[in-house]
Every structure is written in structure tokens, then in C-alpha cells.
Amino acid sequence: MDTARIRKGFPILARKLNGKKMTYLDNAATTQKPRQVIKAEREFYEKRNANVHRGLNALSREATELYELAHENAARFINAGGIEEIVFTKNATESLNLLAYSLGENIRTGDEILLTKMEHHANIVPWQELAKRKKATVKYADITEDGRLDIEDLNGKISPRTRIVSVTMASNILGTINDVEKISALAHEAGAKCVVDAAQAVPHTKVDVERIRCDFLAFSAHKMLGPTGLGILYGKSELLEEMPPFLTGGDMISTVTLEGAEWNKIPWKFEAGTPNIAGAAGFSAAIGYLEKTGMENIETHENKLLKAGLKRMAEIKGVEIYGPEKGPRTGIIPFNVDGVHPHDVSEVLDGNGVIIRAGNHCAQPLMREIGVEGIARASFYLYNNTEEIERLASSVEEAKKTFGV
Ligand code: C6P
């Protein structure tokens, strides 16, 4: 991967922070945007701005085409059956909330929803709220000492009452990649639906919903070079057809009378109101960029960085690294420095222009499971390089000196 060339295409990466070269290692939170994405959004407002699915005029037709094309691009990117299986939401969180409401309509007293102990709050709280409303139970599959999913425990917790199994494909803290193909098969054997939170997977590896055979899959455009304010929910068309809408109002209806309404066809039944059209234009450009670069190349590059990063960080005395020692993991290094709070580590790094994230990363149950209050996390993407790993490691060494440990 020619990172020097790639970096020139991301204007923000030329920035300095505190007088130092900016080293952006918080890609699991959000990624930076290439010129193509910025240009696509700007061009939409400069040349095509109109509402979609409404006006019978050339401008609105162009905006509609562009908006629907973004659904087509997303469908191709994850190998979905077509545009009817791709719902645009605000973010992965909203995609999961949509499911907890709409798919959740069929949940009955005593039913069970199975999650894991490594989920992001976005894949916990909506199900807990559903369980409260329906008097159902939420169960959690265990994780192993080194942060892998205990698949036998998950299997053992699937019961005849299990209706939904919702798991992350890649942990946002540990980087653990879960065998979602297997989990999906186990869920289906029990007659349950399988939901995959792929927010940390789709940006980094080739995700194929046909191969996974999941029923639903959620992710966010902003974590894959795309704009903020755009989430994606993939759903099997026959299931989306059956489900009631989440939000109601304009565009999601076919007819409305004073007595009631009939729903539009999918996916529009789930997209009430004026959507993020400019965001959709930017998202198409992001998908184009990733396809051109090649997801296999991105994955190989991140694996190289991960290997180099883990090795270099392990050389620093007093640094504890979390996550699986064996088995697949994404380009995330979760760590703590003995005797220094992760917030303080992050602050010293910030002084050197090195941006990481520190805290509970919206996964408090996982933090309790690991037995820590917080973790410092460096996460990579296609534009990062080994020079940046060195800056991360030397700044961690500096943090140790600063705090006298
Ligand atoms: N994790 C992180 O720094 P939204 O915020 O809706 O785009 O994505 C939610 C979400 C869902 N699942 C997983 C596995 C995630 O990692 C995230 C977002 C960010 O780790 C922000 S907390």
C-alpha cells in the first residue's frame, strides 16, 4: 500500500496538532475523508440539490437517481440481493434501534434475546429496552480470558425460546473478529433470527451477507471514509416486507386517508422524511474509493500494521495489551500503561499530535468483564504507516517518563 500517495488524498492528514505532525489513530471512532467524498457532497449542493421521491422535475429526478444509486452501491458492496434490502438510517445505532422496535414487535413474554459480553452499547441497550417492554429476557454469551467469544457458551445459551441472536462481527475495543457465519447457522438451527453489528467489520474486511447468511446487518458510513449522519441496515427482503415501520410520516407511505395509511414498498417503508441525500452522494464516493483500493489490500495492510504495532508496544515495559493472542483481530491495539490512567496516556499523546481514544468506548459491560475502568485504544486504517506506530510507541514511552513509572 503506497500510504504516502494515499495520504495526499486526505486533506486533513496534512494538519498539524500542537505544532506536531498529526498522527490519527482513532479510526474505530470515525475515519478521515478522502477528496472524492468531500467533492461528492459539495457537488451535490452545488449542482443537484433537490428533495428525493417528490418533485416531478429534472433536478429532483437527478437527486433521486443519485440517492437510489447509493443504495445500489451499498448492496453491491456487501453482496445483498438488491436495493430493497438496504435501508438508510442515521447511523449503526439507529439501524439497531429500528430492529429492536420493528423486529421486536413479534417478541412475546418469556422470549429470549441472546447477545455477547463484548457488545457496544448500541447492540445492548435497544434490546434491553425491548425486553422491558415485552417482558422478555436478555442473555449474554461469555468471552474467554484473552477476549475471544466463547462459542460453546453461546451455543449453550441458545434455547427454544431464543428469538434473536445479535452479535458484533468485530469488537470495537479488543478487535476480536467473531465467526458470524457459524453464529448465524446456530441461530437458525434454533429458529432464531441473526443480527450482525458490522460497524467495525465492513470498513476493514470484505463482508458478504450471502456467505454469512445473517438476517440483518448494521453499519455506519462514517467509519468507512464516508460522511457522518448515514447508517445502513441490511435486511432480508422477505423479513423487511413483514416488519412494521419504525418511523412514520412522509415518503414511507403509499396512501394516507383520514382513517389510516398504507406503507410504501421496501426499503422506503423504513425511510420516513427527507433523508441525508448529500451524505448518500458522499457514501457512494467512499464505496468507490474502497472498491478501487481493494478490501483485501486494506486488510493485508492493516494486518501488517497490527503485527508491527503489537510487537513494538509489547517491547515497552509496563504496557498491557488486551485482545486475542491467537485468532483473527482487526487493526486495533487496546492497551494500558501500568500506573497511568488511560486518559493521562491519551493527554500526553495528544501533546505529540497522536490521536487515540481512551475510556470505556461505549462498552461498559466489557470493561467490567476485563476488570478495568478504561482502556487506551489505537486503531488503524488504510492511510496509517509504520512511522506513525513509532510515534505512538515513543509517545507512550514519554507518558511513562512523565508519570514516573
Ligand atoms: N463505536 C468507537 O469509538 P454509530 O455511533 O451509531 O456510528 O456506531 C455505533 C457502534 C456500533 N457498534 C460498534 C461495534 C461500534 O464500534 C460502534 C461505534 C465508536 O468505538 C464510537 S462509540
PDB file of all heavy atoms in Angstrom, residues 26-30 90-94 96 118-123 168-173 197-200 218-223 230 357 361-362 377, ligand 1:
ATOM      1  N   ASP A  26      -7.407   7.073  15.572  1.00  0.00           N
ATOM      2  CA  ASP A  26      -8.721   6.851  16.207  1.00  0.00           C
ATOM      3  C   ASP A  26      -9.760   6.486  15.151  1.00  0.00           C
ATOM      4  O   ASP A  26     -10.876   7.011  15.134  1.00  0.00           O
ATOM      5  CB  ASP A  26      -9.146   8.099  17.000  1.00  0.00           C
ATOM      6  CG  ASP A  26     -10.283   7.775  17.966  1.00  0.00           C
ATOM      7  OD1 ASP A  26     -10.551   6.581  18.183  1.00  0.00           O
ATOM      8  OD2 ASP A  26     -10.906   8.717  18.484  1.00  0.00           O
ATOM      9  N   ASN A  27      -9.363   5.579  14.288  1.00  0.00           N
ATOM     10  CA  ASN A  27     -10.226   5.226  13.152  1.00  0.00           C
ATOM     11  C   ASN A  27     -11.421   4.365  13.527  1.00  0.00           C
ATOM     12  O   ASN A  27     -12.384   4.291  12.776  1.00  0.00           O
ATOM     13  CB  ASN A  27      -9.378   4.530  12.083  1.00  0.00           C
ATOM     14  CG  ASN A  27      -8.365   5.491  11.505  1.00  0.00           C
ATOM     15  OD1 ASN A  27      -8.711   6.376  10.745  1.00  0.00           O
ATOM     16  ND2 ASN A  27      -7.106   5.343  11.911  1.00  0.00           N
ATOM     17  N   ALA A  28     -11.360   3.719  14.703  1.00  0.00           N
ATOM     18  CA  ALA A  28     -12.524   2.942  15.131  1.00  0.00           C
ATOM     19  C   ALA A  28     -13.647   3.885  15.561  1.00  0.00           C
ATOM     20  O   ALA A  28     -14.824   3.512  15.546  1.00  0.00           O
ATOM     21  CB  ALA A  28     -12.151   2.001  16.262  1.00  0.00           C
ATOM     22  N   ALA A  29     -13.287   5.117  15.947  1.00  0.00           N
ATOM     23  CA  ALA A  29     -14.318   6.100  16.317  1.00  0.00           C
ATOM     24  C   ALA A  29     -14.923   6.695  15.054  1.00  0.00           C
ATOM     25  O   ALA A  29     -16.141   6.713  14.878  1.00  0.00           O
ATOM     26  CB  ALA A  29     -13.719   7.195  17.195  1.00  0.00           C
ATOM     27  N   THR A  30     -14.071   7.192  14.179  1.00  0.00           N
ATOM     28  CA  THR A  30     -14.514   7.656  12.860  1.00  0.00           C
ATOM     29  C   THR A  30     -13.276   7.781  11.978  1.00  0.00           C
ATOM     30  O   THR A  30     -12.177   8.015  12.487  1.00  0.00           O
ATOM     31  CB  THR A  30     -15.308   8.984  12.931  1.00  0.00           C
ATOM     32  OG1 THR A  30     -16.021   9.149  11.699  1.00  0.00           O
ATOM     33  CG2 THR A  30     -14.431  10.197  13.146  1.00  0.00           C
ATOM     34  N   LYS A  90     -29.678   6.819  10.280  1.00  0.00           N
ATOM     35  CA  LYS A  90     -28.771   7.903  10.691  1.00  0.00           C
ATOM     36  C   LYS A  90     -27.375   7.364  11.008  1.00  0.00           C
ATOM     37  O   LYS A  90     -26.378   8.022  10.806  1.00  0.00           O
ATOM     38  CB  LYS A  90     -29.383   8.562  11.931  1.00  0.00           C
ATOM     39  CG  LYS A  90     -28.802   9.859  12.332  1.00  0.00           C
ATOM     40  CD  LYS A  90     -29.693  10.533  13.351  1.00  0.00           C
ATOM     41  CE  LYS A  90     -29.578   9.827  14.665  1.00  0.00           C
ATOM     42  NZ  LYS A  90     -30.619   9.827  15.600  1.00  0.00           N
ATOM     43  N   ASN A  91     -27.320   6.146  11.550  1.00  0.00           N
ATOM     44  CA  ASN A  91     -26.052   5.506  11.925  1.00  0.00           C
ATOM     45  C   ASN A  91     -26.335   4.047  12.319  1.00  0.00           C
ATOM     46  O   ASN A  91     -27.498   3.636  12.346  1.00  0.00           O
ATOM     47  CB  ASN A  91     -25.363   6.254  13.084  1.00  0.00           C
ATOM     48  CG  ASN A  91     -26.349   6.606  14.189  1.00  0.00           C
ATOM     49  OD1 ASN A  91     -27.234   5.815  14.510  1.00  0.00           O
ATOM     50  ND2 ASN A  91     -26.222   7.782  14.767  1.00  0.00           N
ATOM     51  N   ALA A  92     -25.298   3.312  12.649  1.00  0.00           N
ATOM     52  CA  ALA A  92     -25.483   1.898  13.041  1.00  0.00           C
ATOM     53  C   ALA A  92     -26.388   1.804  14.264  1.00  0.00           C
ATOM     54  O   ALA A  92     -27.197   0.870  14.383  1.00  0.00           O
ATOM     55  CB  ALA A  92     -24.126   1.269  13.335  1.00  0.00           C
ATOM     56  N   THR A  93     -26.271   2.767  15.153  1.00  0.00           N
ATOM     57  CA  THR A  93     -27.105   2.776  16.365  1.00  0.00           C
ATOM     58  C   THR A  93     -28.583   2.819  15.987  1.00  0.00           C
ATOM     59  O   THR A  93     -29.400   2.072  16.536  1.00  0.00           O
ATOM     60  CB  THR A  93     -26.744   4.009  17.234  1.00  0.00           C
ATOM     61  OG1 THR A  93     -25.352   3.972  17.525  1.00  0.00           O
ATOM     62  CG2 THR A  93     -27.539   4.047  18.520  1.00  0.00           C
ATOM     63  N   GLU A  94     -28.932   3.693  15.042  1.00  0.00           N
ATOM     64  CA  GLU A  94     -30.338   3.781  14.634  1.00  0.00           C
ATOM     65  C   GLU A  94     -30.770   2.498  13.913  1.00  0.00           C
ATOM     66  O   GLU A  94     -31.908   2.044  14.069  1.00  0.00           O
ATOM     67  CB  GLU A  94     -30.587   4.997  13.735  1.00  0.00           C
ATOM     68  CG  GLU A  94     -32.070   5.218  13.504  1.00  0.00           C
ATOM     69  CD  GLU A  94     -32.361   6.446  12.670  1.00  0.00           C
ATOM     70  OE1 GLU A  94     -32.213   7.564  13.192  1.00  0.00           O
ATOM     71  OE2 GLU A  94     -32.734   6.277  11.503  1.00  0.00           O
ATOM     72  N   LEU A  96     -29.835  -0.492  14.594  1.00  0.00           N
ATOM     73  CA  LEU A  96     -30.120  -1.497  15.621  1.00  0.00           C
ATOM     74  C   LEU A  96     -31.390  -1.148  16.397  1.00  0.00           C
ATOM     75  O   LEU A  96     -32.175  -2.035  16.759  1.00  0.00           O
ATOM     76  CB  LEU A  96     -28.913  -1.652  16.554  1.00  0.00           C
ATOM     77  CG  LEU A  96     -27.687  -2.296  15.858  1.00  0.00           C
ATOM     78  CD1 LEU A  96     -26.396  -2.034  16.623  1.00  0.00           C
ATOM     79  CD2 LEU A  96     -27.896  -3.802  15.665  1.00  0.00           C
ATOM     80  N   MET A 118     -19.252  -8.783  24.710  1.00  0.00           N
ATOM     81  CA  MET A 118     -18.323  -7.827  24.074  1.00  0.00           C
ATOM     82  C   MET A 118     -19.049  -6.821  23.194  1.00  0.00           C
ATOM     83  O   MET A 118     -18.445  -6.211  22.315  1.00  0.00           O
ATOM     84  CB  MET A 118     -17.234  -8.564  23.289  1.00  0.00           C
ATOM     85  CG  MET A 118     -17.708  -9.320  22.080  1.00  0.00           C
ATOM     86  SD  MET A 118     -16.308  -9.806  21.033  1.00  0.00           S
ATOM     87  CE  MET A 118     -15.750 -11.286  21.841  1.00  0.00           C
ATOM     88  N   GLU A 119     -20.347  -6.619  23.435  1.00  0.00           N
ATOM     89  CA  GLU A 119     -21.098  -5.712  22.558  1.00  0.00           C
ATOM     90  C   GLU A 119     -20.904  -4.238  22.915  1.00  0.00           C
ATOM     91  O   GLU A 119     -20.714  -3.880  24.078  1.00  0.00           O
ATOM     92  CB  GLU A 119     -22.597  -6.046  22.603  1.00  0.00           C
ATOM     93  CG  GLU A 119     -22.942  -7.456  22.148  1.00  0.00           C
ATOM     94  CD  GLU A 119     -22.387  -7.824  20.776  1.00  0.00           C
ATOM     95  OE1 GLU A 119     -22.433  -6.989  19.869  1.00  0.00           O
ATOM     96  OE2 GLU A 119     -21.885  -8.955  20.637  1.00  0.00           O
ATOM     97  N   HIS A 120     -21.009  -3.410  21.908  1.00  0.00           N
ATOM     98  CA  HIS A 120     -21.101  -1.949  22.063  1.00  0.00           C
ATOM     99  C   HIS A 120     -22.486  -1.643  22.641  1.00  0.00           C
ATOM    100  O   HIS A 120     -23.440  -2.400  22.398  1.00  0.00           O
ATOM    101  CB  HIS A 120     -20.947  -1.339  20.664  1.00  0.00           C
ATOM    102  CG  HIS A 120     -20.904   0.147  20.608  1.00  0.00           C
ATOM    103  ND1 HIS A 120     -22.045   0.918  20.639  1.00  0.00           N
ATOM    104  CD2 HIS A 120     -19.870   1.007  20.500  1.00  0.00           C
ATOM    105  CE1 HIS A 120     -21.697   2.189  20.553  1.00  0.00           C
ATOM    106  NE2 HIS A 120     -20.389   2.278  20.468  1.00  0.00           N
ATOM    107  N   HIS A 121     -22.610  -0.551  23.377  1.00  0.00           N
ATOM    108  CA  HIS A 121     -23.918  -0.201  23.965  1.00  0.00           C
ATOM    109  C   HIS A 121     -25.040  -0.178  22.921  1.00  0.00           C
ATOM    110  O   HIS A 121     -26.194  -0.453  23.235  1.00  0.00           O
ATOM    111  CB  HIS A 121     -23.842   1.179  24.645  1.00  0.00           C
ATOM    112  CG  HIS A 121     -22.898   1.211  25.814  1.00  0.00           C
ATOM    113  ND1 HIS A 121     -22.382   2.380  26.321  1.00  0.00           N
ATOM    114  CD2 HIS A 121     -22.358   0.209  26.556  1.00  0.00           C
ATOM    115  CE1 HIS A 121     -21.579   2.099  27.334  1.00  0.00           C
ATOM    116  NE2 HIS A 121     -21.539   0.800  27.486  1.00  0.00           N
ATOM    117  N   ALA A 122     -24.684   0.164  21.673  1.00  0.00           N
ATOM    118  CA  ALA A 122     -25.699   0.232  20.607  1.00  0.00           C
ATOM    119  C   ALA A 122     -26.328  -1.125  20.331  1.00  0.00           C
ATOM    120  O   ALA A 122     -27.435  -1.212  19.792  1.00  0.00           O
ATOM    121  CB  ALA A 122     -25.076   0.772  19.319  1.00  0.00           C
ATOM    122  N   ASN A 123     -25.604  -2.189  20.690  1.00  0.00           N
ATOM    123  CA  ASN A 123     -26.152  -3.540  20.490  1.00  0.00           C
ATOM    124  C   ASN A 123     -26.526  -4.182  21.826  1.00  0.00           C
ATOM    125  O   ASN A 123     -26.604  -5.397  21.929  1.00  0.00           O
ATOM    126  CB  ASN A 123     -25.151  -4.413  19.725  1.00  0.00           C
ATOM    127  CG  ASN A 123     -25.816  -5.651  19.126  1.00  0.00           C
ATOM    128  OD1 ASN A 123     -27.018  -5.640  18.809  1.00  0.00           O
ATOM    129  ND2 ASN A 123     -25.069  -6.723  18.979  1.00  0.00           N
ATOM    130  N   THR A 168     -21.668  -8.778  17.580  1.00  0.00           N
ATOM    131  CA  THR A 168     -20.762  -7.929  16.814  1.00  0.00           C
ATOM    132  C   THR A 168     -19.860  -8.820  15.950  1.00  0.00           C
ATOM    133  O   THR A 168     -19.469  -9.905  16.369  1.00  0.00           O
ATOM    134  CB  THR A 168     -19.930  -7.026  17.751  1.00  0.00           C
ATOM    135  OG1 THR A 168     -19.247  -6.080  16.939  1.00  0.00           O
ATOM    136  CG2 THR A 168     -18.913  -7.797  18.587  1.00  0.00           C
ATOM    137  N   MET A 169     -19.575  -8.335  14.753  1.00  0.00           N
ATOM    138  CA  MET A 169     -18.664  -9.098  13.882  1.00  0.00           C
ATOM    139  C   MET A 169     -17.220  -8.814  14.284  1.00  0.00           C
ATOM    140  O   MET A 169     -16.368  -9.684  14.196  1.00  0.00           O
ATOM    141  CB  MET A 169     -18.893  -8.719  12.414  1.00  0.00           C
ATOM    142  CG  MET A 169     -18.094  -9.538  11.448  1.00  0.00           C
ATOM    143  SD  MET A 169     -18.778  -9.411   9.796  1.00  0.00           S
ATOM    144  CE  MET A 169     -17.505 -10.266   8.864  1.00  0.00           C
ATOM    145  N   ALA A 170     -16.962  -7.588  14.756  1.00  0.00           N
ATOM    146  CA  ALA A 170     -15.621  -7.235  15.237  1.00  0.00           C
ATOM    147  C   ALA A 170     -15.775  -6.302  16.437  1.00  0.00           C
ATOM    148  O   ALA A 170     -16.506  -5.317  16.365  1.00  0.00           O
ATOM    149  CB  ALA A 170     -14.824  -6.551  14.139  1.00  0.00           C
ATOM    150  N   SER A 171     -15.079  -6.641  17.520  1.00  0.00           N
ATOM    151  CA  SER A 171     -15.182  -5.835  18.743  1.00  0.00           C
ATOM    152  C   SER A 171     -14.494  -4.482  18.559  1.00  0.00           C
ATOM    153  O   SER A 171     -13.365  -4.425  18.058  1.00  0.00           O
ATOM    154  CB  SER A 171     -14.548  -6.589  19.915  1.00  0.00           C
ATOM    155  OG  SER A 171     -14.202  -5.687  20.942  1.00  0.00           O
ATOM    156  N   ASN A 172     -15.159  -3.412  18.997  1.00  0.00           N
ATOM    157  CA  ASN A 172     -14.589  -2.068  18.837  1.00  0.00           C
ATOM    158  C   ASN A 172     -13.470  -1.798  19.829  1.00  0.00           C
ATOM    159  O   ASN A 172     -12.765  -0.802  19.712  1.00  0.00           O
ATOM    160  CB  ASN A 172     -15.672  -0.984  18.966  1.00  0.00           C
ATOM    161  CG  ASN A 172     -16.253  -0.896  20.354  1.00  0.00           C
ATOM    162  OD1 ASN A 172     -16.550  -1.898  20.966  1.00  0.00           O
ATOM    163  ND2 ASN A 172     -16.424   0.314  20.859  1.00  0.00           N
ATOM    164  N   ILE A 173     -13.304  -2.686  20.811  1.00  0.00           N
ATOM    165  CA  ILE A 173     -12.232  -2.474  21.785  1.00  0.00           C
ATOM    166  C   ILE A 173     -11.123  -3.495  21.588  1.00  0.00           C
ATOM    167  O   ILE A 173      -9.955  -3.148  21.438  1.00  0.00           O
ATOM    168  CB  ILE A 173     -12.772  -2.567  23.227  1.00  0.00           C
ATOM    169  CG1 ILE A 173     -13.848  -1.513  23.434  1.00  0.00           C
ATOM    170  CG2 ILE A 173     -11.634  -2.416  24.225  1.00  0.00           C
ATOM    171  CD1 ILE A 173     -14.436  -1.489  24.794  1.00  0.00           C
ATOM    172  N   ASP A 197     -23.839  -6.859  14.080  1.00  0.00           N
ATOM    173  CA  ASP A 197     -23.362  -5.480  14.178  1.00  0.00           C
ATOM    174  C   ASP A 197     -21.998  -5.447  13.494  1.00  0.00           C
ATOM    175  O   ASP A 197     -21.002  -5.918  14.050  1.00  0.00           O
ATOM    176  CB  ASP A 197     -23.256  -5.078  15.657  1.00  0.00           C
ATOM    177  CG  ASP A 197     -22.604  -3.709  15.829  1.00  0.00           C
ATOM    178  OD1 ASP A 197     -22.223  -3.090  14.807  1.00  0.00           O
ATOM    179  OD2 ASP A 197     -22.454  -3.270  16.983  1.00  0.00           O
ATOM    180  N   ALA A 198     -21.983  -4.915  12.272  1.00  0.00           N
ATOM    181  CA  ALA A 198     -20.750  -4.954  11.470  1.00  0.00           C
ATOM    182  C   ALA A 198     -20.084  -3.584  11.364  1.00  0.00           C
ATOM    183  O   ALA A 198     -19.306  -3.327  10.445  1.00  0.00           O
ATOM    184  CB  ALA A 198     -21.057  -5.517  10.092  1.00  0.00           C
ATOM    185  N   ALA A 199     -20.359  -2.712  12.354  1.00  0.00           N
ATOM    186  CA  ALA A 199     -19.820  -1.346  12.311  1.00  0.00           C
ATOM    187  C   ALA A 199     -18.292  -1.330  12.237  1.00  0.00           C
ATOM    188  O   ALA A 199     -17.700  -0.464  11.593  1.00  0.00           O
ATOM    189  CB  ALA A 199     -20.289  -0.550  13.525  1.00  0.00           C
ATOM    190  N   GLN A 200     -17.649  -2.315  12.902  1.00  0.00           N
ATOM    191  CA  GLN A 200     -16.173  -2.346  12.903  1.00  0.00           C
ATOM    192  C   GLN A 200     -15.641  -3.388  11.926  1.00  0.00           C
ATOM    193  O   GLN A 200     -14.436  -3.674  11.929  1.00  0.00           O
ATOM    194  CB  GLN A 200     -15.652  -2.641  14.315  1.00  0.00           C
ATOM    195  CG  GLN A 200     -16.017  -1.608  15.350  1.00  0.00           C
ATOM    196  CD  GLN A 200     -15.285  -0.281  15.176  1.00  0.00           C
ATOM    197  OE1 GLN A 200     -14.382  -0.146  14.357  1.00  0.00           O
ATOM    198  NE2 GLN A 200     -15.682   0.715  15.945  1.00  0.00           N
ATOM    199  N   ALA A 218     -25.867  -4.330  10.429  1.00  0.00           N
ATOM    200  CA  ALA A 218     -25.873  -2.872  10.618  1.00  0.00           C
ATOM    201  C   ALA A 218     -24.463  -2.317  10.539  1.00  0.00           C
ATOM    202  O   ALA A 218     -23.514  -2.943  11.025  1.00  0.00           O
ATOM    203  CB  ALA A 218     -26.468  -2.553  11.996  1.00  0.00           C
ATOM    204  N   PHE A 219     -24.306  -1.153   9.907  1.00  0.00           N
ATOM    205  CA  PHE A 219     -23.011  -0.457   9.917  1.00  0.00           C
ATOM    206  C   PHE A 219     -23.194   1.035   9.643  1.00  0.00           C
ATOM    207  O   PHE A 219     -24.309   1.489   9.362  1.00  0.00           O
ATOM    208  CB  PHE A 219     -21.998  -1.100   8.965  1.00  0.00           C
ATOM    209  CG  PHE A 219     -22.403  -1.199   7.507  1.00  0.00           C
ATOM    210  CD1 PHE A 219     -21.821  -0.367   6.549  1.00  0.00           C
ATOM    211  CD2 PHE A 219     -23.332  -2.125   7.073  1.00  0.00           C
ATOM    212  CE1 PHE A 219     -22.156  -0.465   5.204  1.00  0.00           C
ATOM    213  CE2 PHE A 219     -23.689  -2.236   5.726  1.00  0.00           C
ATOM    214  CZ  PHE A 219     -23.104  -1.410   4.794  1.00  0.00           C
ATOM    215  N   SER A 220     -22.086   1.792   9.762  1.00  0.00           N
ATOM    216  CA  SER A 220     -22.116   3.254   9.632  1.00  0.00           C
ATOM    217  C   SER A 220     -21.179   3.716   8.532  1.00  0.00           C
ATOM    218  O   SER A 220     -20.031   3.247   8.465  1.00  0.00           O
ATOM    219  CB  SER A 220     -21.645   3.927  10.937  1.00  0.00           C
ATOM    220  OG  SER A 220     -22.651   3.901  11.908  1.00  0.00           O
ATOM    221  N   ALA A 221     -21.611   4.670   7.722  1.00  0.00           N
ATOM    222  CA  ALA A 221     -20.775   5.183   6.621  1.00  0.00           C
ATOM    223  C   ALA A 221     -19.531   5.911   7.143  1.00  0.00           C
ATOM    224  O   ALA A 221     -18.465   5.843   6.528  1.00  0.00           O
ATOM    225  CB  ALA A 221     -21.599   6.113   5.741  1.00  0.00           C
ATOM    226  N   HIS A 222     -19.659   6.592   8.303  1.00  0.00           N
ATOM    227  CA  HIS A 222     -18.539   7.442   8.743  1.00  0.00           C
ATOM    228  C   HIS A 222     -17.314   6.662   9.181  1.00  0.00           C
ATOM    229  O   HIS A 222     -16.235   7.230   9.321  1.00  0.00           O
ATOM    230  CB  HIS A 222     -18.997   8.401   9.854  1.00  0.00           C
ATOM    231  CG  HIS A 222     -19.245   7.728  11.170  1.00  0.00           C
ATOM    232  ND1 HIS A 222     -18.282   7.629  12.132  1.00  0.00           N
ATOM    233  CD2 HIS A 222     -20.346   7.125  11.689  1.00  0.00           C
ATOM    234  CE1 HIS A 222     -18.788   7.001  13.198  1.00  0.00           C
ATOM    235  NE2 HIS A 222     -20.032   6.679  12.943  1.00  0.00           N
ATOM    236  N   LYS A 223     -17.474   5.358   9.425  1.00  0.00           N
ATOM    237  CA  LYS A 223     -16.317   4.548   9.818  1.00  0.00           C
ATOM    238  C   LYS A 223     -15.628   3.932   8.603  1.00  0.00           C
ATOM    239  O   LYS A 223     -14.707   3.137   8.729  1.00  0.00           O
ATOM    240  CB  LYS A 223     -16.760   3.436  10.773  1.00  0.00           C
ATOM    241  CG  LYS A 223     -17.207   3.941  12.137  1.00  0.00           C
ATOM    242  CD  LYS A 223     -17.392   2.793  13.089  1.00  0.00           C
ATOM    243  CE  LYS A 223     -18.220   3.133  14.304  1.00  0.00           C
ATOM    244  NZ  LYS A 223     -17.600   4.038  15.248  1.00  0.00           N
ATOM    245  N   LEU A 230     -25.094   8.954   8.300  1.00  0.00           N
ATOM    246  CA  LEU A 230     -25.651   7.953   7.399  1.00  0.00           C
ATOM    247  C   LEU A 230     -25.293   6.550   7.900  1.00  0.00           C
ATOM    248  O   LEU A 230     -24.116   6.197   7.994  1.00  0.00           O
ATOM    249  CB  LEU A 230     -25.121   8.136   5.971  1.00  0.00           C
ATOM    250  CG  LEU A 230     -25.899   7.279   4.981  1.00  0.00           C
ATOM    251  CD1 LEU A 230     -26.980   8.096   4.299  1.00  0.00           C
ATOM    252  CD2 LEU A 230     -25.009   6.671   3.934  1.00  0.00           C
ATOM    253  N   ARG A 357      -8.085   6.989  21.329  1.00  0.00           N
ATOM    254  CA  ARG A 357      -9.240   7.171  22.198  1.00  0.00           C
ATOM    255  C   ARG A 357      -8.973   6.458  23.517  1.00  0.00           C
ATOM    256  O   ARG A 357      -8.335   5.392  23.532  1.00  0.00           O
ATOM    257  CB  ARG A 357     -10.499   6.603  21.542  1.00  0.00           C
ATOM    258  CG  ARG A 357     -11.753   6.981  22.296  1.00  0.00           C
ATOM    259  CD  ARG A 357     -13.020   6.558  21.609  1.00  0.00           C
ATOM    260  NE  ARG A 357     -14.103   6.689  22.573  1.00  0.00           N
ATOM    261  CZ  ARG A 357     -15.296   6.197  22.437  1.00  0.00           C
ATOM    262  NH1 ARG A 357     -15.629   5.527  21.358  1.00  0.00           N
ATOM    263  NH2 ARG A 357     -16.218   6.362  23.360  1.00  0.00           N
ATOM    264  N   HIS A 361     -15.203   3.301  25.818  1.00  0.00           N
ATOM    265  CA  HIS A 361     -15.527   3.010  24.409  1.00  0.00           C
ATOM    266  C   HIS A 361     -16.953   2.498  24.207  1.00  0.00           C
ATOM    267  O   HIS A 361     -17.206   1.628  23.358  1.00  0.00           O
ATOM    268  CB  HIS A 361     -14.513   2.011  23.815  1.00  0.00           C
ATOM    269  CG  HIS A 361     -13.095   2.416  24.039  1.00  0.00           C
ATOM    270  ND1 HIS A 361     -12.449   3.329  23.235  1.00  0.00           N
ATOM    271  CD2 HIS A 361     -12.204   2.058  24.992  1.00  0.00           C
ATOM    272  CE1 HIS A 361     -11.223   3.499  23.690  1.00  0.00           C
ATOM    273  NE2 HIS A 361     -11.063   2.747  24.753  1.00  0.00           N
ATOM    274  N   CYS A 362     -17.893   3.032  24.999  1.00  0.00           N
ATOM    275  CA  CYS A 362     -19.307   2.633  24.871  1.00  0.00           C
ATOM    276  C   CYS A 362     -19.482   1.127  25.007  1.00  0.00           C
ATOM    277  O   CYS A 362     -20.276   0.510  24.287  1.00  0.00           O
ATOM    278  CB  CYS A 362     -19.912   3.107  23.555  1.00  0.00           C
ATOM    279  SG  CYS A 362     -19.822   4.866  23.320  1.00  0.00           S
ATOM    280  N   ARG A 377      -6.853   3.128  23.299  1.00  0.00           N
ATOM    281  CA  ARG A 377      -7.048   2.345  22.065  1.00  0.00           C
ATOM    282  C   ARG A 377      -6.480   3.088  20.861  1.00  0.00           C
ATOM    283  O   ARG A 377      -6.859   4.212  20.582  1.00  0.00           O
ATOM    284  CB  ARG A 377      -8.547   2.110  21.860  1.00  0.00           C
ATOM    285  CG  ARG A 377      -8.879   1.345  20.591  1.00  0.00           C
ATOM    286  CD  ARG A 377     -10.372   1.330  20.324  1.00  0.00           C
ATOM    287  NE  ARG A 377     -10.858   2.628  19.892  1.00  0.00           N
ATOM    288  CZ  ARG A 377     -12.129   2.906  19.602  1.00  0.00           C
ATOM    289  NH1 ARG A 377     -13.042   1.969  19.746  1.00  0.00           N
ATOM    290  NH2 ARG A 377     -12.492   4.110  19.200  1.00  0.00           N
TER     291      ARG A 377
HETATM  292  N1  C6P B   1     -18.101   2.817  18.052  1.00  0.00           N
HETATM  293  C1  C6P B   1     -15.995   3.678  18.896  1.00  0.00           C
HETATM  294  O1  C6P B   1     -15.186   4.588  19.116  1.00  0.00           O
HETATM  295  P1  C6P B   1     -22.517   4.760  15.461  1.00  0.00           P
HETATM  296  O2  C6P B   1     -22.049   5.635  16.582  1.00  0.00           O
HETATM  297  O3  C6P B   1     -24.000   4.553  15.501  1.00  0.00           O
HETATM  298  O4  C6P B   1     -21.984   5.159  14.145  1.00  0.00           O
HETATM  299  O5  C6P B   1     -21.847   3.319  15.722  1.00  0.00           O
HETATM  300  C2  C6P B   1     -22.198   2.606  16.880  1.00  0.00           C
HETATM  301  C3  C6P B   1     -21.352   1.393  17.010  1.00  0.00           C
HETATM  302  C4  C6P B   1     -21.958   0.164  16.938  1.00  0.00           C
HETATM  303  N2  C6P B   1     -21.247  -0.972  17.021  1.00  0.00           N
HETATM  304  C5  C6P B   1     -19.909  -0.954  17.181  1.00  0.00           C
HETATM  305  C6  C6P B   1     -19.159  -2.250  17.247  1.00  0.00           C
HETATM  306  C7  C6P B   1     -19.242   0.273  17.276  1.00  0.00           C
HETATM  307  O6  C6P B   1     -17.921   0.288  17.430  1.00  0.00           O
HETATM  308  C8  C6P B   1     -19.972   1.479  17.206  1.00  0.00           C
HETATM  309  C9  C6P B   1     -19.296   2.809  17.343  1.00  0.00           C
HETATM  310  C10 C6P B   1     -17.272   4.003  18.163  1.00  0.00           C
HETATM  311  O7  C6P B   1     -15.756   2.526  19.220  1.00  0.00           O
HETATM  312  C11 C6P B   1     -17.983   5.155  18.794  1.00  0.00           C
HETATM  313  S1  C6P B   1     -18.526   4.802  20.421  1.00  0.00           S
END
